[in-house]
Amino acid sequence: AQSVTQLDSQVPVFEEAPVELRCNYSSSVSVYLFWYVQYPNQGLQLLLKYLSGSTLVKGINGFEAEFNRSQTSFHLRKPSVHISDTAEYFCAVSDPNTGGFKTIFGAGTRLFVKA
Amino acid sequence: DAMVIQNPRYQVTQFGKPVTLSCSQTLNHNVMYWYQQKSSQAPKLLFHYYDKDFNNEADTPDNFQSRRPNTSFCFLDIRSPGLGDAAMYLCATSRVRGTQETQYFGPGTRLLVL
């Protein structure tokens, strides 16, 4: 079964600094990968997703992620963060070969942007 | 704006007292999901509806049931809430059922069991 590991439970960073949130998934021939953001007391919102094609995926709010098949990783990056980026970030994976639709979420990384 | 709405945002219930959480959507999506999210954990899928077709996850306790009377509404019923059922409950929708589909989430209902 698919699994997702988010290597950092919390990432503190200063405003305007770059950030990388790490995500690794268990190996599969093909996968779909997602990053969702959850602001306090809100539901999850899609930041970006990788289905196929270019391994560098650009999303909303200046975020991007790079799919690395050999390292089974899908790390999320932003070159310059804002206070408003403080939130919980979830990496998720789905396997198109299972015949189902289920999305598996990682445990989340809390990004805390300091002034 | 098209959206996923959950009511109430906060729900307090007593141990063993049945409770119903509601979700509605204006996206006209075919699929509606219910997730349970405990503090500092990943959302965990409980079940989903694909149109009227109900799909339960194997590890979802029998205490959790769901109803979808029409395309727009979906309910989560907890028949006898225990202390361990205190969590955020997230409703989500997707246009169709597929592993590539984006899910659109509501703001969640935080359930407290006394």
Side-chain angles (χ1 to χ4, degrees), chain A residues 40-65:
Chain A
N41 295 315
Q42 295 187 29
L44 281 69
Q45 178 186 4
L46 182 71
L47 276 178
L48 47 81
K49 62 182 178 182
Y50 171 80
L51 303 181
S52 65
S54 172
T55 58
L56 183 64
V57 182
K58 292 191 183 297
I60 62 170
N61 301 341
F63 284 93
E64 63 181 32

Side-chain angles (χ1 to χ4, degrees), chain A residues 32 34 36 38 41-44 46 49 51 90 94-96 98 100-103 105-107, chain B residues 9-10 33 35 37 40-43 45 48 57 90 97-103 105-107:
Chain A
Y32 298 140
F34 306 79
Y36 284 85
Q38 186 178 30
N41 295 315
Q42 295 187 29
L44 281 69
L46 182 71
K49 62 182 178 182
L51 303 181
F90 291 93
S94 64
D95 186 343
T98 61
F101 67 96
K102 189 171 179 178
T103 300
F105 288 86
Chain B
R9 294 294 309 278
Y10 300 90
Y33 310 79
Y35 288 87
Q37 185 182 22
S40 302
Q41 294 185 24
L45 183 66
H48 79 279
E57 291 300 301
L90 297 168
R97 185 168 62 181
T99 49
Q100 78 279 15
E101 288 296 313
T102 298
Q103 294 184 32
F105 285 81

Side-chain angles (χ1 to χ4, degrees), chain A residues 59-75:
Chain A
I60 62 170
N61 301 341
F63 284 93
E64 63 181 32
E66 185 149 22
F67 171 57
N68 188 318
R69 187 185 298 280
S70 63
Q71 297 186 6
T72 61
S73 68
F74 190 55
H75 300 333

Side-chain angles (χ1 to χ4, degrees), chain A:
Chain A
Q2 278 286 358
S3 65
V4 180
T5 302
Q6 292 187 241
L7 295 154
D8 306 294
S9 60
Q10 294 186 65
V11 173
V13 64
F14 285 103
E15 192 175 21
E16 297 183 7
V19 71
E20 179 179 80
L21 306 183
R22 297 180 293 169
C23 173
N24 286 90
Y25 62 94
S26 57
S27 180
S28 179
V29 175
S30 61
V31 289
Y32 298 140
L33 294 155
F34 306 79
W35 274 100
Y36 284 85
V37 60
Q38 186 178 30
Y39 298 103
N41 295 315
Q42 295 187 29
L44 281 69
Q45 178 186 4
L46 182 71
L47 276 178
L48 47 81
K49 62 182 178 182
Y50 171 80
L51 303 181
S52 65
S54 172
T55 58
L56 183 64
V57 182
K58 292 191 183 297
I60 62 170
N61 301 341
F63 284 93
E64 63 181 32
E66 185 149 22
F67 171 57
N68 188 318
R69 187 185 298 280
S70 63
Q71 297 186 6
T72 61
S73 68
F74 190 55
H75 300 333
L76 180 71
R77 294 192 287 259
K78 186 170 182 177
S80 175
V81 294
H82 304 289
I83 297 286
S84 59
D85 292 322
T86 294
E88 188 92 20
Y89 291 79
F90 291 93
C91 182
V93 61
S94 64
D95 186 343
N97 298 311
T98 61
F101 67 96
K102 189 171 179 178
T103 300
I104 306 297
F105 288 86
T109 297
R110 182 169 295 277
L111 176 64
F112 179 59
V113 182
K114 301 177 285 186

